[in-house]
């Protein structure tokens, strides 16, 4: 089964073709980073308009790269939520329009389910069950995953998401948007041992997170030490954030007795996080899995993949293309 996937929940238009026999056939991405850069964050109306401009040309490109035409597709998946309403509507309308015109099944996909399953697009693929650390711009969650659609939330952030903390730190340090990669790059030139920032809730005994205090600590440090210390502050922040993410992941593995950890979402691209988890994995004898680097942040491939799993299980949502800008992953039903 060949599924076209459309992601348009935020500031990236992602299109992909996934074949349940042959794997990912092609994918393409247009990022709106430059469009929103001067505003320091995503402007929803500009995002929607840009998705409209990009979605069909990108679809043609992906089909061309795969050497296929629309008539070779068996189903269409799109991000139904959560995300920006106007942006979601673009993908939902195009997907539903195409499905109707081509007489194909369509399926609305939960964006976080896409992230969660994205490591299954890489080799080696993790087997179920596993613990997932989901770290994106909007979410920081630890989940137990027993299969497609079978997710149990074990803990999440009480305030800011990890990616948000990176983005806000970037802003405080005068770096651009999006902040994660910029903070990580600056941190590499800094001394992580010069300043010690708090590790919020690291020893709280549960799997909850909190990052807003860390952001305030960065602000205070910046005021006290000034611009000269920027790289060292970035390094201290990154150390603290990664310590917490790695520490809680280990705790989740210990608590559940599981031996497989999957990392997904934009912050999963962070090099220090990967180094830390890889080192712990060989020391403590568990396996850690990541999506390919280009599939950590938003993309169409993860939507095509999650959609294919749902369509294969007979869970098309044909015609009911209502978007869900706010949508709890816990409300999602298992397709089997
Ligand atoms: O998953 P994603 O693309 O979008 C959401 O669904 O939110 O994640 C974007 C987030 C942003 O906050 C960005 O700053 C962060 O991921 N990010 C990183 C890195 N690359 C992206 N954070 C830390 N280190 C990175 N290398
Ligand atoms: Zn995302």
């Amino acid at each position: 089964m060949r599924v076209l996937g459309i992601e348009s929940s935020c500031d990236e238009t992602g299109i992909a073709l996934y074949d349940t026999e042959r794997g990912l056939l092609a994918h393409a991405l247009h990022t709106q980073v430059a469009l929103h850069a001067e505003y320091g964050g995503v402007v929803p109306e500009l995002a929607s308009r840009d998705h409209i401009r990009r979605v069909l040309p990108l679809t043609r490109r992906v089909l061309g790269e795969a050497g296929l035409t629309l008539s070779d597709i068996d189903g269409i998946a799109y991000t139904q939520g959560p995300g920006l309403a106007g942006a979601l509507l673009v993908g939902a309308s195009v997907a539903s329009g195409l499905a109707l015109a081509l007489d194909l099944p369509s399926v609305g996909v939960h964006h976080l389910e896409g992230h969660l399953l994205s490591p299954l697009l890489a080799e080696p693929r993790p087997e179920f069950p596993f613990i997932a650390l989901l770290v994106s711009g909007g979410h920081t969650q630890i989940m137990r995953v027993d299969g497609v659609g079978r997710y149990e939330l074990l803990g999440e952030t009480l305030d800011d998401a990890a990616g948000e903390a990176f983005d806000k730190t970037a802003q405080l340090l005068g770096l651009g948007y999006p902040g994660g990669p910029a903070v990580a790059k600056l941190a590499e030139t800094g001394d992580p041992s010069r300043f010690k920032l708090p590790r919020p809730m690291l020893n709280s005994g549960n799997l909850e997170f909190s990052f807003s205090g860390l952001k305030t600590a960065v602000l205070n440090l910046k005021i006290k030490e000034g611009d000269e210390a920027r790289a060292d502050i970035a390094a201290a922040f990154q150390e603290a954030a990664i310590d917490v993410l790695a520490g809680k992941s280990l705790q989740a593995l210990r608590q559940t007795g599981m031996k497989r950890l999957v990392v997904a979402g934009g912050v999963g691209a962070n090099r220090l996080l990967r180094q830390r988890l890889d080192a712990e994995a060989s020391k403590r004898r568990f396996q850690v899995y990541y999506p390919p680097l280009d599939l950590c942040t938003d993309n169409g491939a993860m939507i095509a993949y999650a959609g294919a799993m749902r369509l294969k299980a007979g869970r098309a949502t044909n015609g009911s293309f209502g978007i869900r800008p706010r949508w709890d992953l816990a409300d999602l039903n298992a397709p089997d």
Side-chain angles (χ1 to χ4, degrees):
M1 174 189 272
R2 291 193 202 102
V3 177
L4 177 73
I6 303 178
E7 154 65 31
S8 71
S9 66
C10 188
D11 58 348
E12 249 115 30
T13 320
I15 306 287
L17 268 170
Y18 180 80
D19 186 322
T20 50
E21 317 270 273
R22 291 167 53 211
L24 189 60
L25 301 180
H27 75 109
L29 188 81
H30 176 77
T31 175
Q32 303 176 355
V33 163
L35 178 70
H36 302 293
E38 64 176 294
Y39 305 99
V42 180
V43 183
E45 178 60 22
L46 294 183
S48 318
R49 288 188 221 167
D50 200 61
H51 285 305
I52 292 173
R53 270 194 295 272
R54 308 291 174 180
V55 66
L56 290 179
L58 279 181
T59 303
R60 279 189 209 106
R61 194 165 109 201
V62 164
L63 284 167
E65 274 172 25
L68 300 173
T69 65
L70 281 175
S71 58
D72 298 311
I73 298 174
D74 304 302
I76 304 184
Y78 61 93
T79 306
Q80 190 176 8
L84 302 169
L88 289 168
L89 268 178
V90 178
S93 317
V94 169
S96 303
L98 276 177
L100 206 62
L102 299 166
D103 197 19
L104 292 176
S106 63
V107 60
V109 170
H110 193 295
H111 181 83
L112 293 182
E113 178 171 56
H115 276 303
L116 210 57
L117 300 179
S118 61
L120 296 167
L121 285 161
E123 290 293 342
R125 290 159 52 107
E127 279 176 31
F128 298 113
F130 53 75
I131 293 294
L133 172 69
L134 186 61
V135 273
S136 70
H139 292 82
T140 299
Q141 302 184 325
I142 291 190
M143 234 152 329
R144 181 194 162 108
V145 178
D146 285 292
V148 175
R150 296 168 62 201
Y151 314 124
E152 184 193 345
L153 183 66
L154 302 180
E156 66 182 331
T157 184
L158 304 176
D159 41 58
D160 294 351
E164 201 177 347
F166 269 90
D167 293 336
K168 287 179 177 169
T169 295
Q171 224 169 16
L172 292 172
L173 296 179
L175 303 170
Y177 151 90
V183 170
K185 194 161 161 233
L186 183 62
E188 279 180 16
T189 69
D191 171 6
S193 60
R194 180 172 164 201
F195 304 117
K196 177 102 178 161
L197 288 170
R199 270 72 173 151
M201 297 190 75
L202 181 56
N203 299 312
S204 62
N206 58 23
L207 296 173
E208 311 287 322
F209 298 83
S210 165
F211 286 105
S212 74
L214 186 53
K215 174 189 63 192
T216 312
V218 168
L219 174 64
N220 292 336
L221 198 54
K222 167 77 185 343
I223 292 169
K224 184 158 159 249
E225 302 290 337
D227 267 353
E228 170 272 325
R230 281 192 338 159
D232 297 338
I233 298 174
F237 162 78
Q238 185 174 241
E239 279 290 324
I242 299 309
D243 254 9
V244 174
L245 294 175
K248 295 279 178 174
S249 304
L250 295 184
Q251 193 186 328
L253 290 169
R254 264 198 310 272
Q255 212 170 288
T256 56
M258 291 221 198
K259 291 282 175 206
R260 284 183 289 272
L261 174 69
V262 157
V263 181
V267 185
N270 186 275
R271 200 177 326 170
L272 184 66
L273 177 63
R274 289 182 176 222
Q275 278 171 1
R276 187 71 52 86
L277 290 176
D278 287 343
E280 294 289 353
S282 48
K283 201 162 81 191
R284 295 171 203 270
R285 302 186 178 283
F286 64 87
Q287 255 86 49
V288 55
Y289 302 85
Y290 311 94
L293 261 188
D294 59 338
L295 302 183
C296 274
T297 44
D298 292 348
N299 63 84
M302 65 185 196
I303 302 304
Y305 179 77
M309 296 303 107
R310 289 191 166 265
L311 286 174
K312 237 173 69 178
R315 287 299 184 104
T317 53
N318 295 340
S320 61
F321 87 85
I323 53 158
R324 302 185 67 173
R326 287 173 176 276
W327 185 7
D328 200 337
L329 191 61
D331 296 342
L332 203 60
N333 297 322
D336 49 0

